[in-house]
Amino acid sequence: MKIQFLGHSAFYLEEGRFKALTDPFLDDSPICNISSEEFKELTHIFLTHGHFDHIGDAVKLSERTGALIISNKEICEHLNLFGVKTQIISIGETIEFEYGTVKMVAAAHPSEITHGEEMKDGGDASGFIFNINGTKIYHPGDTTLMEEMKDYKIENIDVALLPIGGTYTMDIVEASKAIEYIDPKVVIPMHYNTFPVIEADPYEFKKNSEKIIVLNIGEIYEI
Ligand code: NI
Ligand code: MN
């Protein structure tokens, strides 16, 4: 399967007919030079929480491609106002689809939705554990280090996408601890250098574990 880094928490996942985006913050991202227009076919969009840098271009992508948006109840209800297709998933729940499953897991982070001048309740922030044809990918969304990441060891995660930018999420030190907790085979850093407040050097992070692979924006890791 293909895992393409699109900057921030945005990844394109592809396996056969499964073509998905996570947290598609593309067109307004200061670091992503790949337009949302480039994604012609999408089956799913997964949203970890309600912040603008995670909902991103989900509505226009779903309108254009018909992709099903999978997120929590509050975010799905909000997005339904725009007439897009959504499916609610709750923390602890697993959804099956043609190429595998996705489980929603907890994250320690707020999740408000900005709607014009208004701030709406975005429910609980989350992460996802994907199992696509036997390959397990953990996308934690925005989160600080959590003790329960130790429980993910038994999941045998192949690829953990870990935020390292600090301020709103784990920083390099905490993300290095998370690698010990989760014990994945491969780690790809995310959620850094998009904004000055989340500046981090992924190559500093890479010094802490040989499992770490730094992807440039647009670069694909194949597993
Ligand atoms: Ni956030
Ligand atoms: Mn964020």
Side-chain angles (χ1 to χ4, degrees):
M1 83 168 293
K2 283 184 191 162
I3 303 172
Q4 183 182 30
F5 182 48
L6 301 168
H8 212 56
S9 299
F11 288 87
Y12 173 64
L13 309 176
E14 186 186 299
E15 169 76 18
R17 284 193 299 274
F18 175 78
K19 297 172 199 291
L21 284 170
T22 63
D23 290 352
F25 180 53
L26 308 177
D27 295 343
D28 295 327
S29 165
I31 57 166
C32 182
N33 49 9
I34 297 171
S35 159
S36 65
E37 295 285 327
E38 293 194 26
F39 296 92
K40 308 283 182 221
E41 266 179 71
L42 286 174
T43 55
H44 301 81
I45 297 170
F46 298 90
L47 302 179
T48 60
H49 66 290
H51 290 155
F52 74 95
D53 56 320
H54 296 264
I55 290 185
D57 305 309
V59 170
K60 64 180 168 191
L61 281 159
S62 174
E63 277 173 346
R64 189 164 48 73
T65 64
L68 177 66
I69 299 176
I70 298 181
S71 194
N72 72 21
K73 179 171 170 286
E74 288 78 0
I75 293 168
C76 287
E77 283 173 357
H78 170 69
L79 296 177
N80 287 345
L81 301 174
F82 302 92
V84 291
K85 262 197 306 180
T86 61
Q87 182 172 355
I88 295 171
I89 182 170
S90 306
I91 289 172
E93 190 184 349
T94 300
I95 288 180
E96 281 187 39
F97 44 87
E98 191 185 358
Y99 282 88
T101 61
V102 63
K103 176 158 101 177
M104 187 182 243
V105 294
H109 187 71
S111 173
E112 310 86 3
I113 302 166
T114 317
H115 184 50
E117 301 282 280
E118 201 191 333
M119 284 287 251
K120 291 171 77 170
D121 176 17
D124 292 320
S126 68
F128 293 108
I129 296 176
F130 298 95
N131 184 344
I132 310 296
N133 267 351
T135 301
K136 283 200 172 176
I137 300 167
Y138 173 42
H139 187 309
D142 283 1
T143 187
T144 52
L145 185 67
M146 297 185 303
E147 285 291 308
E148 69 179 273
M149 287 175 180
K150 291 176 182 169
D151 300 339
Y152 303 159
K153 245 183 207 171
I154 55 161
E155 297 271 359
N156 290 316
I157 303 288
D158 292 290
V159 183
L161 314 168
L162 299 181
I164 61 163
T167 312
Y168 311 111
T169 69
M170 298 189 280
D171 58 15
I172 285 175
V173 174
E174 291 165 323
S176 302
K177 200 86 203 152
I179 298 175
E180 282 175 39
Y181 285 10
I182 303 159
D183 196 24
K185 293 188 188 74
V186 169
V187 174
I188 298 172
M190 66 170 187
H191 211 272
Y192 62 92
N193 292 351
T194 320
F195 308 109
V197 284
I198 57 167
E199 239 166 63
D201 180 356
Y203 294 97
E204 271 305 305
F205 179 50
K206 193 174 160 55
K207 288 179 188 164
N208 295 340
S209 165
E210 57 198 17
K211 295 176 174 183
I212 299 167
I213 293 174
V214 178
L215 294 185
N216 294 316
I217 290 167
E219 204 177 333
I220 294 168
Y221 176 73
E222 286 215 46
I223 184 162

PDB file of all heavy atoms in Angstrom, residues 8 53-54 142 191, ligand 2:
ATOM      1  N   HIS A   8       1.639  18.439   7.390  1.00  0.00           N
ATOM      2  CA  HIS A   8       0.760  18.498   8.549  1.00  0.00           C
ATOM      3  C   HIS A   8       0.245  17.091   8.905  1.00  0.00           C
ATOM      4  O   HIS A   8       1.049  16.175   9.017  1.00  0.00           O
ATOM      5  CB  HIS A   8      -0.364  19.506   8.297  1.00  0.00           C
ATOM      6  CG  HIS A   8      -0.831  20.208   9.531  1.00  0.00           C
ATOM      7  ND1 HIS A   8       0.011  20.911  10.346  1.00  0.00           N
ATOM      8  CD2 HIS A   8      -2.059  20.299  10.096  1.00  0.00           C
ATOM      9  CE1 HIS A   8      -0.689  21.404  11.365  1.00  0.00           C
ATOM     10  NE2 HIS A   8      -1.939  21.035  11.239  1.00  0.00           N
ATOM     11  N   ASP A  53      -7.322  22.959  10.639  1.00  0.00           N
ATOM     12  CA  ASP A  53      -6.133  22.378  10.001  1.00  0.00           C
ATOM     13  C   ASP A  53      -6.258  20.860   9.863  1.00  0.00           C
ATOM     14  O   ASP A  53      -5.320  20.177   9.458  1.00  0.00           O
ATOM     15  CB  ASP A  53      -4.847  22.769  10.759  1.00  0.00           C
ATOM     16  CG  ASP A  53      -4.862  22.401  12.236  1.00  0.00           C
ATOM     17  OD1 ASP A  53      -5.917  22.552  12.889  1.00  0.00           O
ATOM     18  OD2 ASP A  53      -3.815  21.965  12.749  1.00  0.00           O
ATOM     19  N   HIS A  54      -7.460  20.345  10.195  1.00  0.00           N
ATOM     20  CA  HIS A  54      -7.716  18.896  10.046  1.00  0.00           C
ATOM     21  C   HIS A  54      -8.930  18.644   9.158  1.00  0.00           C
ATOM     22  O   HIS A  54      -8.883  17.794   8.276  1.00  0.00           O
ATOM     23  CB  HIS A  54      -7.848  18.247  11.428  1.00  0.00           C
ATOM     24  CG  HIS A  54      -6.551  18.360  12.171  1.00  0.00           C
ATOM     25  ND1 HIS A  54      -5.621  17.356  12.191  1.00  0.00           N
ATOM     26  CD2 HIS A  54      -5.995  19.414  12.832  1.00  0.00           C
ATOM     27  CE1 HIS A  54      -4.545  17.777  12.852  1.00  0.00           C
ATOM     28  NE2 HIS A  54      -4.747  19.025  13.250  1.00  0.00           N
ATOM     29  N   ASP A 142      -4.172  14.914  16.568  1.00  0.00           N
ATOM     30  CA  ASP A 142      -3.414  15.784  17.476  1.00  0.00           C
ATOM     31  C   ASP A 142      -3.559  15.188  18.872  1.00  0.00           C
ATOM     32  O   ASP A 142      -4.672  15.031  19.364  1.00  0.00           O
ATOM     33  CB  ASP A 142      -4.023  17.198  17.509  1.00  0.00           C
ATOM     34  CG  ASP A 142      -3.669  18.036  16.294  1.00  0.00           C
ATOM     35  OD1 ASP A 142      -2.962  17.530  15.405  1.00  0.00           O
ATOM     36  OD2 ASP A 142      -4.104  19.198  16.246  1.00  0.00           O
ATOM     37  N   HIS A 191       2.744  16.822  11.504  1.00  0.00           N
ATOM     38  CA  HIS A 191       2.297  17.970  12.304  1.00  0.00           C
ATOM     39  C   HIS A 191       3.485  18.779  12.841  1.00  0.00           C
ATOM     40  O   HIS A 191       3.605  19.012  14.038  1.00  0.00           O
ATOM     41  CB  HIS A 191       1.386  17.509  13.458  1.00  0.00           C
ATOM     42  CG  HIS A 191       0.336  18.506  13.869  1.00  0.00           C
ATOM     43  ND1 HIS A 191       0.564  19.485  14.801  1.00  0.00           N
ATOM     44  CD2 HIS A 191      -0.951  18.690  13.482  1.00  0.00           C
ATOM     45  CE1 HIS A 191      -0.538  20.204  14.968  1.00  0.00           C
ATOM     46  NE2 HIS A 191      -1.472  19.750  14.160  1.00  0.00           N
TER      47      HIS A 191
HETATM   48 MN    MN B   2      -3.636  20.449  14.486  1.00  0.00          MN
END
